[in-house]
Amino acid sequence: MKLTKVLLLAAFVLAACACRDEYGYTIRDHTIIYNTPARPAGQQSMLGFACDPIETVRIGIIGLGDRGKYVPRRMPYIEHASVVALCDPIPERIEGAQQSLEKRGAPRAIHEFSGEDGWKQLCELDDIDLVYLAVPWQLHTRMAVYAMEHGKHVAVEVPAATSIQECWALVNTSERTRRHCMMLENCCYDFFELTCLNMAQQGVFGDIVHVEGAYIHNLAPWWDKYQGDWRMTYNKDHHGDVYPTHGIGPVCQVLGIHRGDRMEQLISMDSGAFSGQAKADARHGEGAVNYANGDLTSTLIRTHNGKTILVEHDVVTPRPYSRMYQIVGTEGYASKYPIPSLALGSDAVEVLSSDDLDAEKFMSEESRDSVLNAYKVPFAREIEALARKVGGHGGMDFIMEYRLIYCLHNGLPLDQDVYDAAEWSSLVELTEMSITHGSMPVRMPDFTRGEWNRLDGLKFAY
């Protein structure tokens, strides 16, 4: 009897380890290698997936803080969108959102939830199609999975997940339930990024060799706005690029990641936490906490097709805001910061003096603006004036939500799918693992399970 119990216990432990390791990693030949498990029975790929057209997209918003409170201010301007449910632990925020809807001529939301399980009640409603999540990072995956399991499409703020386990949970749930899971990566919808993506897809830059992206944003004025100090706490507890998607998302679209190419290997390193520790000491008392996140985290990624990506994260130094956003091709170059710049063709750079490298110049502003105007994405051109008026980070939030509703209404594939959400978010854990192991190379998992080259680039559906 005792032997039987021992064997059963051993079998249980082995099964638990196997389950944990299925989405885990091994270290071999000085490389961290993440597993790509087989697709479970009953699941189907979501690449190119389109749901049945939805006449009016009924939306439930969870989280009405500094990010979510703006959603009810924009949605009334989007045709075929209706906010019908609101959820936040602070009732005053719900009433503020209701007034935002009324002020813009939209009806008040039918449902309000503010209790501990209010978010679950919202997801369980029969009269919503889309759950919009604007809550702290640590809650994203849990809520997104629950919403999909209750038949809802999901739009989730960035990053969509904070671990590889969570990334796979999003992928598997989306594949099993056949529900969209779009990460709300708004930087893919800024005007310069959209235009450069169109140029890249039309071959203006030639073969893309290298791209760069970043999140460089001094958060000194913002730390107090994160309820319960959750963002400072996350940075305090974690190494790595904890907020990678603003930088990695737009450049992944340029490279056609999981649409003809895939990220295969990365290596990451960080500086010391000089500014970060000082800010933590100022908030919590000197020596009260040990601030883990380096002031600057740099990550270099190589793709299957031999392209390279540089991504940076810095939220504590005085550097001016930048997402870097650079495209280096065989026939051209684009850069957004500090000002939008282009260099195209064999005469891309005018050299005024061989002794003065600072004399090399980009295209003139007039020529640049002419090119950018010629390659504007049609839908961005059509709604540009309205987007700039309604706003949301200069209009890109509005364009993102407009596109989401447009695609759901017309039964078209979304611009960003669950694999984008997983791959871009996976850098949170992968960069931390690399740094923790002395900047060891990391072989990345393939969330498409070998289907990364089945689609031919991102095609905006109209």
Side-chain angles (χ1 to χ4, degrees), residues 20 33 50-51 72 115 119-120 122 128 143 149 167 170 240 263 266 282 312 325 340 370 387 425 428:
R20 183 169 64 251
I33 303 171
C51 65
W119 66 273
K120 289 184 177 180
L122 184 149
I128 62 173
M143 292 183 175
E149 287 177 340
C167 290
L170 292 176
M263 297 186 286
L266 68 77
E312 292 188 359
Y325 192 73
S370 177
S425 299
V428 174

Side-chain angles (χ1 to χ4, degrees), residues 371-391:
V371 171
L372 292 175
N373 184 62
Y375 284 97
K376 279 185 180 179
V377 176
F379 69 76
R381 187 188 302 275
E382 292 169 7
I383 65 170
E384 180 173 358
L386 179 60
R388 294 189 185 279
K389 174 185 175 182
V390 175

Side-chain angles (χ1 to χ4, degrees), residues 13-34:
V13 171
L14 287 173
C17 291
C19 179
R20 183 169 64 251
D21 291 342
E22 182 181 10
Y23 301 112
Y25 64 91
T26 57
I27 297 179
R28 188 170 63 249
D29 298 328
H30 303 289
T31 300
I32 302 168
I33 303 171
Y34 271 82

Side-chain angles (χ1 to χ4, degrees), residues 91-305:
E92 290 79 8
R93 290 178 176 174
I94 297 176
E95 179 56 29
Q98 295 282 34
Q99 292 178 15
S100 292
L101 292 170
E102 289 183 307
K103 184 177 180 180
R104 289 155 182 82
R108 290 173 67 94
I110 302 170
H111 307 283
E112 297 182 359
F113 302 99
S114 61
E116 182 178 348
D117 291 327
W119 66 273
K120 289 184 177 180
Q121 294 173 276
L122 184 149
C123 293
E124 293 165 4
L125 291 171
D126 293 328
D127 57 348
I128 62 173
D129 308 292
L130 173 71
V131 172
Y132 193 117
L133 294 171
V135 295
W137 308 337
Q138 299 91 324
L139 302 176
H140 286 176
T141 299
R142 177 187 177 194
M143 292 183 175
V145 166
Y146 194 84
M148 285 187 282
E149 287 177 340
H150 285 82
K152 310 305 186 293
H153 301 293
V154 173
V156 55
E157 266 294 349
V158 301
T162 59
S163 71
I164 297 301
Q165 288 277 1
E166 288 186 345
C167 290
W168 281 115
L170 292 176
V171 169
N172 288 333
T173 306
S174 179
E175 290 184 347
R176 175 167 46 82
T177 62
R178 310 301 288 162
R179 290 296 182 267
H180 287 296
C181 181
M182 173 179 166
M183 184 169 65
L184 294 163
E185 184 38 75
N186 55 350
C187 295
C188 293
Y189 295 91
D190 211 351
F191 294 100
F192 187 76
E193 282 86 334
L194 279 173
T195 300
C196 287
L197 174 60
N198 189 32
M199 293 169 66
Q201 291 178 332
Q202 296 195 41
V204 175
F205 300 113
D207 291 327
I208 307 298
V209 176
H210 175 79
V211 292
E212 298 184 7
Y215 186 68
I216 298 168
H217 186 189
N218 182 7
L219 293 180
W222 305 100
W223 292 116
D224 290 335
K225 296 183 179 293
Y226 298 102
Q227 186 176 340
D229 206 28
W230 66 263
R231 188 162 183 174
M232 173 69 79
T233 299
Y234 197 92
N235 280 265
K236 171 183 70 69
D237 293 339
H238 292 274
H239 289 284
D241 192 334
V242 299
Y243 198 65
T245 69
H246 287 335
I248 194 69
V251 296
C252 276
Q253 289 189 329
V254 167
L255 293 180
I257 296 301
H258 92 239
R259 296 175 176 88
D261 201 357
R262 66 171 293 248
M263 297 186 286
E264 284 193 335
Q265 182 165 300
L266 68 77
I267 187 168
S268 189
M269 64 178 61
D270 62 355
S271 71
F274 304 103
S275 297
Q277 185 63 58
K279 294 180 186 303
D281 288 344
R283 292 177 69 80
H284 303 289
E286 187 171 353
V289 299
N290 182 31
Y291 193 91
N293 200 255
D295 287 1
L296 177 65
T297 299
S298 299
T299 302
L300 191 61
I301 304 168
R302 183 176 175 86
T303 76
H304 178 84
N305 293 341

Side-chain angles (χ1 to χ4, degrees), residues 245-412:
T245 69
H246 287 335
I248 194 69
V251 296
C252 276
Q253 289 189 329
V254 167
L255 293 180
I257 296 301
H258 92 239
R259 296 175 176 88
D261 201 357
R262 66 171 293 248
M263 297 186 286
E264 284 193 335
Q265 182 165 300
L266 68 77
I267 187 168
S268 189
M269 64 178 61
D270 62 355
S271 71
F274 304 103
S275 297
Q277 185 63 58
K279 294 180 186 303
D281 288 344
R283 292 177 69 80
H284 303 289
E286 187 171 353
V289 299
N290 182 31
Y291 193 91
N293 200 255
D295 287 1
L296 177 65
T297 299
S298 299
T299 302
L300 191 61
I301 304 168
R302 183 176 175 86
T303 76
H304 178 84
N305 293 341
K307 313 301 178 66
T308 55
I309 307 171
L310 174 64
V311 187
E312 292 188 359
H313 175 267
D314 174 1
V315 295
V316 292
T317 75
R319 296 169 72 185
Y321 181 91
S322 173
R323 299 196 302 273
M324 291 190 347
Y325 192 73
Q326 293 185 18
I327 301 172
V328 182
T330 57
E331 296 295 329
Y333 169 85
S335 177
K336 184 171 183 177
Y337 298 91
I339 60 171
S341 303
L342 292 177
L344 302 175
S346 58
D347 298 325
V349 177
E350 178 185 3
V351 181
L352 302 182
S353 169
S354 59
D355 296 325
D356 182 7
L357 293 180
D358 289 339
E360 296 183 0
K361 293 185 177 181
F362 294 101
M363 297 172 62
S364 67
E365 290 186 17
E366 182 180 2
S367 297
R368 177 203 65 194
D369 291 345
S370 177
V371 171
L372 292 175
N373 184 62
Y375 284 97
K376 279 185 180 179
V377 176
F379 69 76
R381 187 188 302 275
E382 292 169 7
I383 65 170
E384 180 173 358
L386 179 60
R388 294 189 185 279
K389 174 185 175 182
V390 175
H393 292 94
M396 62 187 181
D397 292 352
F398 177 81
I399 297 176
M400 172 183 67
E401 291 159 354
Y402 167 87
R403 283 294 298 169
L404 170 60
I405 300 303
Y406 180 90
C407 291
L408 290 173
H409 170 70
N410 290 282
L412 299 169

